[in-house]
Every structure is written in C-alpha cells, then in structure tokens.
Amino acid sequence: MKIVVDTETGLAPWRQVHDQVVRAVTTGALPEGTRLPPIRQLARDLGLASGTVARAYRELEAAGWVTTARARGTVVTIPPGRPDPGALLRTAAADFATQARDLGTDLDTALDAVRAAWS
C-alpha cells in the first residue's frame, strides 16, 4: 500500500493517512493482520512529523481499524460493522460537495473536477 499526502488539498495530513488506510482495508488492499510501518518510519517516508502519523494511528485504533501492541507493532484489524465501500464513497462525496460549495463552485464545475480526477 502506498500512502500519499497532498499538502495542497486543505485536508489535514493525519486525516489523509487515516482515510487512505481505511480505504485500503475496506477494498482488501490491506488484509487483516497486515503490519503497518512504524510511526517514525512512515513519518520519515511521508515527510511528516511523527506526531502527525501517531494521531492517524490513534484515530484508526479508536475506530477499530488497527490494534497496537509493543511486540507486534500496529496491525490491521477488521472492525465489526465496518462501512461498506458504498458508504465510504457517499461520505467522500458529501465531503467533496461541501468543499465545492465552500469554494463557491457550481455543480457542473464540481462534476468537471471529478471527471478530471477520474482520468
């Protein structure tokens, strides 16, 4: 799994890490039992502060997406009642629609942006 943080999106870097891990678990790209990189290593790889990655891992653990144990590190778990991909898509769409409205764009412009990103 590759995590990419884009500082131009306006979305907090910890949230980008969090969302990409959730997406990877939901789609099966990160199966249950997969060990995530240590916080310091991932922070170094992404050019982030360790605290930023630590927050993402804490939020993931609080939601049941990962567990952390000293000897095993941070490992993917499957939370009971996890959202299905459709629910995640609807949430992402709602977030995008909110951002588009906040930027003052109309629906056609927002859809054009989605079409361009889809390519």
Side-chain angles (χ1 to χ4, degrees):
M1 182 190 90
K2 182 176 179 174
I3 295 176
V4 177
V5 174
D6 182 357
T7 58
E8 301 297 316
T9 66
L11 189 60
W14 73 266
R15 186 61 190 205
Q16 292 180 50
V17 172
H18 172 279
D19 292 352
Q20 289 177 55
V21 170
V22 169
R23 192 173 313 117
V25 172
T26 302
T27 62
L30 273 179
E32 187 168 15
T34 302
R35 187 170 175 214
L36 296 181
I39 290 170
R40 286 188 199 136
Q41 177 188 335
L42 185 57
R44 189 172 40 253
D45 293 347
L46 296 175
L48 299 173
S50 294
T52 301
V53 175
R55 178 168 182 196
Y57 279 24
R58 276 193 312 271
E59 297 288 336
L60 288 164
E61 188 163 19
W65 292 102
V66 300
T67 57
T68 303
R70 193 176 258 311
R72 291 185 41 206
T74 303
V75 179
V76 172
T77 57
I78 305 296
R82 71 179 171 158
D84 67 296
L88 291 174
L89 180 60
R90 288 187 294 279
T91 299
D95 291 345
F96 174 75
T98 298
Q99 279 189 317
R101 280 192 300 272
D102 289 349
L103 292 170
T105 61
D106 61 16
L107 178 59
D108 290 331
T109 303
L111 290 175
D112 287 343
V114 170
R115 287 185 186 97
W118 194 272
S119 305

